[in-house]
Amino acid sequence: VTFTTISLDAYLRGSPQAKLRIAQDLDEALQTAGFFYLVDHGVPLSVTEGILNATSAFFELPEEDKRAAQQKEKFGDLGYADNSLDDAEGKNGKAEYFNYHYTEGADMDESERKLPTPLKGKLSTWASAAKDVAIRIHQIASLALAATDPSFEASGGSVSDAEHLLERHFFDQENTTRYSVRLNYYGDLSREVQEGSQNDDSTLIRL
C-alpha cells in the first residue's frame, strides 16, 4: 500500500488551484488507503517525541495507578479507560486509551493538575499543537467535499469560503472552542485482532 503525502505548508502557501489539487489528493487518499502522511505541519519533533514517550510511560504504569486516573463515565469523559479485544483464537486482550478535553481560554493549570504524573507538561502542549493542525486538516477536507460538486469549479467557487464547509454545517457552534485528544494504546499488535472488535470513530490514529 502506498500512502499519499500531504504537505500542510504547501497547502497554506499555495494558490487556490494548488490548494484544490492537495484537497483532491487528500480525498483520494482517505477513500482508498484510508491513511496519509502529513508533513511540514509545524509541530516540533520534540513535542511529538515528548508525548510519545509520556504516553508509553503512562500505559506502562501498574494497573492500580492507571485505574486511579479512570474515567467517571465509560465514554467521553476525561481519563483512562479500556476496551476488551478478541483475537482470532477467541482470547481476550484490551485496547487502552486516555481521553483529554480542554476549552480554549479556560484555566489550563487546573486541567494540568488532574493529569497523571507521566503526562504532566506533555499532553497539554501536544494537544494545543495538534488542535491547530486538526483545524487545517478540517479545512482541507472541507474544500475536498465542496469540490465534489461539479458546479464548484465551473462557477469559480471560492476556496477560502469552501474551507469552512464542515465548520458551518457539522460542528456544534456552541462547542467550537472545546477540543478533545485521545491517546490510544493497543499493546501487542502481533496477534490478529478480529475485525470490528475495536472501533475508533472520529479519531486520527498515529501508528
Side-chain angles (χ1 to χ4, degrees):
V1 178
T2 300
F3 296 144
T4 298
T5 297
I6 301 293
S7 170
L8 188 53
D9 183 66
Y11 180 85
L12 296 176
R13 295 174 180 272
S15 65
Q17 292 76 19
K19 287 186 173 184
L20 183 58
R21 286 194 298 271
I22 292 173
Q24 291 169 335
D25 288 343
L26 176 67
D27 181 51
E28 182 178 0
L30 292 178
Q31 293 198 54
T32 52
F35 292 87
F36 61 92
Y37 290 116
L38 183 68
V39 298
D40 305 326
H41 44 65
V43 180
L45 182 60
S46 59
V47 173
T48 302
E49 290 180 339
I51 189 58
L52 289 175
N53 292 334
T55 299
S56 297
F58 171 74
F59 287 115
E60 290 170 3
L61 288 173
E63 191 72 16
E64 60 269 22
D65 291 343
K66 289 185 287 188
R67 293 295 176 193
Q70 195 163 16
Q71 295 180 354
K72 294 178 181 179
E73 303 292 339
K74 181 61 178 175
F75 298 104
D77 201 8
L78 181 147
Y80 170 81
D82 59 48
N83 286 333
S84 296
L85 296 176
D86 293 325
D87 65 17
E89 298 177 355
K91 298 178 181 178
N92 290 325
K94 66 179 178 179
E96 302 175 79
Y97 53 91
F98 188 93
N99 282 335
Y100 176 70
H101 313 295
Y102 72 96
T103 301
E104 200 165 38
D107 183 2
M108 296 297 290
D109 290 338
E110 181 180 354
S111 296
E112 190 75 12
R113 285 192 293 270
K114 297 178 181 179
L115 291 176
T117 299
L119 298 177
K120 288 183 184 295
K122 303 294 183 182
L123 181 51
S124 56
T125 299
W126 183 81
S128 179
K131 175 263 296 184
D132 292 337
V133 173
I135 289 173
R136 298 301 187 185
I137 294 298
H138 285 153
Q139 291 176 348
I140 301 175
S142 292
L143 177 56
L145 285 172
T148 60
D149 184 344
S151 66
F152 178 76
E153 280 193 85
S155 63
S158 168
V159 167
S160 59
D161 186 57
E163 287 178 329
H164 299 284
L165 178 68
L166 288 173
E167 179 183 335
R168 288 196 305 269
H169 296 285
F170 294 99
F171 294 160
D172 184 344
Q173 295 300 311
E174 295 182 357
N175 293 314
T176 52
T177 57
R178 186 174 185 269
Y179 302 98
S180 299
V181 170
R182 175 168 164 171
L183 306 177
N184 296 295
Y185 180 74
Y186 297 105
D188 181 10
L189 287 176
S190 63
R191 298 181 305 158
E192 180 183 351
V193 177
Q194 292 182 348
E195 182 179 358
S197 61
Q198 168 67 6
N199 186 1
D200 287 305
D201 291 329
S202 304
T203 60
L204 292 176
I205 309 300
R206 184 188 188 281
L207 298 178

